[in-house]
Amino acid sequence: MSSAPSTDSAERSSPPWRRMTAGALSAALVPVVTCVTALMLLTAYTTTGAAGEPPARISVSNARIFVPSNSENTAAFFDISNTGAADDVLTSVSSPELGVTMLGQRVTKDGAGRMEPLDSLTIPARSRVDMTPYSVDVMVMDPPKLKIGDKVCFDLWFRSSGQVTVEAVTVPPQSWRGGAAAAFLPAVTPRPSACGSR
């Protein structure tokens, strides 16, 4: 019992400024510790890659394939939109109904144009890439016989967005007039019901 009064008297004997300083330090320490903890958690969140740019948002429209003019090859075309905040990359295109397919790019060397294989196609953020006979397309080797209006399912594979399945309509090569994409037959809206049942 004799020790309790001595503690009280020690507290009473310390100067008031010391008691106020100790209380202020305790009060200031709480938000500082909270901020440091939040900063550490935010650093861990960004280092693990959980934070970052919003993903790409890919949509494919106006899918069409030329009626093969010979039995060796033909070409397919797609309009690819990316409304997301990050780039995406088209890595390949395939079709269960067709033979070998590969991305191709038109190059001009010594005044002559020809198609060359293309490893991948970048779809920049907030942009659209329209495939044409004069730029980039999908080369189809040994295609089956196709008639105007036939529908063909394609799987487009993107590095970030994964697989996008669309249905292309078969159009005559002559439907490409003067390089205007609008000259193709009406755009075909992807219909998952036709291609999704495979």
Side-chain angles (χ1 to χ4, degrees), residues 32-55:
V32 168
V33 169
T34 303
C35 286
V36 168
T37 304
L39 187 59
M40 288 171 51
L41 289 172
L42 185 58
T43 303
Y45 180 66
T46 54
T47 1
T48 59
E53 292 184 352

